[in-house]
Amino acid sequence: MVTGGVAAYKAAYLSRLLIEAGEEVRVAMTVEAHNFIGPTTFASITGNPVVTDLFESDLTSPHTDLGRWADAVIVAPATAATLARLAHGLSEEVASATLLATQAPVLVAPAMHTEMWEHPATKRNLEVLQRDGVTVVGPGEGALAGGDQGIGRMAEPEEIVAALEKMLAGPLTGLRVLVTAGGTREAIDPVRFIGNRSSGKMGHAIADVAAHLGAEVTLVTTTDRPAHRQVDVIRVESAQEMADAVEKIESDVVVMAAAVADFRPADPAIKKLRRTDGPPQIELEPTPDILSSVMARENRPFVVGFAAETEGIDRAIEKAKRKGTDLTVANEVTEAGAGFAHDTNRVSLIHADGGVEHWPLVAKVEVAERLWNVIAEKRGR
Ligand code: CTP
């Protein structure tokens, strides 16, 4: 949001910095802002049309469209009048209407003359905004409009970008996470494979939630499900391809939700097997054990294994101990509403010391959220 102050010219450079940081930027400006800068400047920098009017826009409902679209809203410069409107929930023009319509976090960069900044009304409004969860950056001291000097100068664009990054940082920011998901397919011949019932939903939910919490996520998956836009997706098919992909990735936490085949046809046929040749004898050989290779790494990451069981939790507890993982997510796949292809799951979490937490039947996304809470706590975040 660009509102009517001389610092509006700095909002153009701010837009450029945001674009360079890989963000998509859309600008709305008030009528007063037009006195200082034109919409063409912002449209050229951002590659998006600029919204200047609540009623004369290509969007049917500009304030709600923009408000819903944004991951964060920056008001730069924020005039004293804008802060007052925002503090009182007024919505008579595009900037304040969008601010009222958004649920995204809001950052304001006030800019005004010292007298206005120090006025009790402005102070009151700012207190209200801070209570409402608005982040305030600046103002700084220096040259103001009309040759004046003092406090009230808009924060520099670099400072605003840094504050935005801080505001948006999640609890997992900076953590490198690798997730495996889906069931592997081991070729019998060019058309047939040995597979399993894993849908990849649990692993994808774990990757998506980690990205949402700020982690740098790589997802090695056998499914073509969509993933959170910040997730780096590597698609594979077989256990070998999954092992090769995992081996190349350095990470701090590895969550192995994939259902990896333990055995594969030793010598898959190059041509399709024919019915007329009779039932084939398929010799199997072991696949690489991905989890063990990760566990054997020098400086190994924090490892979360999965244990899909059909004969009760005891086998999972024994498996967790044998594999030495930091956490094991165990589930009884035959239980109604849990395990493969469902949107819900009932899991038990087995800690490295053998302690077990039984979690209720909840959505897979919630299982993922709970899991990341535990991991974040264990990693001191
Ligand atoms: N796993 C793996 N590589 C394999 C097989 C399994 O990395 N070749 C991982 C899975 O992603 C899971 C964990 O190991 O996180 C346990 O998988 P599971 O199949 O339950 O364990 P197994 O050791 O194969 O035990 P069992 O077949 O006896 O149940």
Side-chain angles (χ1 to χ4, degrees):
M1 302 285 137
V2 182
T3 70
V6 65
Y9 78 93
K10 287 198 209 167
Y13 181 51
L14 173 62
S15 306
R16 153 76 53 225
L17 287 182
L18 292 169
I19 299 277
E20 279 169 10
E23 307 293 347
E24 196 182 337
V25 180
R26 288 168 76 174
V27 173
M29 55 196 293
T30 59
V31 176
E32 290 77 21
H34 285 75
N35 294 318
F36 301 95
I37 193 163
T40 319
T41 307
F42 292 110
S44 314
I45 293 173
T46 64
N48 281 319
V50 174
V51 179
T52 55
D53 196 291
L54 268 179
F55 303 101
E56 279 175 38
S57 156
D58 294 342
L59 306 171
T60 338
S61 174
H63 58 309
T64 52
D65 285 358
L66 283 180
R68 285 181 198 138
W69 168 85
D71 294 326
V73 181
I74 302 175
V75 190
T79 59
T82 308
L83 296 179
R85 283 195 206 106
L86 187 51
H88 290 89
L90 301 182
S91 58
E92 76 279 31
E93 45 67 55
V94 68
S96 50
T98 306
L99 288 164
L100 200 62
T102 194
Q103 289 182 348
V106 175
L107 184 153
V108 296
M112 64 199 74
H113 273 95
T114 310
E115 297 83 343
M116 298 168 85
W117 174 248
E118 288 178 346
H119 194 283
T122 305
K123 284 190 179 157
R124 249 190 337 264
N125 292 333
L126 219 74
E127 266 173 38
V128 170
L129 293 178
Q130 279 169 324
R131 263 207 308 278
D132 287 351
V134 170
T135 302
V136 183
V137 191
E141 217 170 324
L144 303 172
D148 289 347
Q149 288 281 330
I151 185 149
R153 190 181 156 87
M154 189 176 94
E156 293 307 321
E158 287 83 356
E159 230 179 293
I160 298 175
V161 172
L164 175 77
E165 278 167 6
K166 201 164 152 212
M167 181 176 92
L168 294 181
L172 302 185
T173 297
L175 195 72
R176 295 167 308 164
V177 166
L178 167 62
V179 181
T180 66
T184 61
R185 294 173 166 197
E186 309 301 330
I188 295 171
D189 70 11
V191 291
R192 304 178 181 95
F193 59 81
I194 298 177
N196 62 65
R197 294 186 193 281
S198 167
S199 62
K201 281 183 184 171
M202 192 63 250
H204 274 246
I206 289 169
D208 289 352
V209 169
H212 183 71
L213 297 174
E216 284 168 40
V217 187
T218 308
L219 172 65
V220 180
T221 177
T222 62
T223 83
D224 52 12
R225 284 180 184 287
H228 186 288
R229 65 190 162 93
Q230 304 285 10
V231 172
D232 191 4
V233 180
I234 301 175
R235 298 200 195 274
V236 295
E237 201 170 277
S238 63
Q240 187 65 56
E241 285 172 14
M242 188 171 272
D244 293 345
V246 166
E247 196 192 305
K248 292 192 192 96
I249 298 158
E250 285 271 315
S251 56
D252 305 311
V253 177
V254 179
V255 183
M256 313 208 82
V260 186
D262 289 323
F263 301 101
R264 66 186 172 202
D267 190 14
I270 296 181
K271 290 192 182 141
K272 189 183 167 195
L273 298 176
R274 298 276 158 206
R275 179 206 265 276
T276 44
D277 293 335
Q281 293 288 323
I282 300 172
E283 197 190 322
L284 299 178
E285 65 178 15
T287 55
D289 187 338
I290 308 170
L291 193 142
S292 316
S293 344
V294 173
M295 290 296 293
R297 279 185 197 177
E298 205 178 301
N299 247 332
R300 80 161 172 86
F302 185 96
V303 177
V304 183
F306 268 65
E309 301 294 344
T310 55
E311 294 160 89
I313 182 85
D314 290 347
R315 293 195 73 118
I317 295 174
E318 181 276 316
K319 191 180 283 180
K321 201 168 158 198
R322 177 161 39 90
K323 294 183 185 268
T325 42
D326 298 290
L327 288 172
T328 301
V329 180
N331 67 333
E332 200 46 43
V333 285
T334 47
E335 190 186 328
F340 300 137
H342 291 285
D343 289 324
T344 49
N345 210 356
R346 187 202 303 278
V347 306
S348 301
L349 191 68
I350 306 168
H351 291 259
D353 64 3
V356 182
E357 291 177 35
H358 297 286
W359 290 354
L361 182 74
V362 288
K364 284 184 172 170
V365 173
E366 196 180 327
V367 174
E369 285 164 356
R370 283 169 171 248
L371 181 61
W372 283 117
N373 274 341
V374 175
I375 298 171
E377 199 179 305
K378 288 205 181 274
R379 309 256 328 161
R381 280 172 174 264

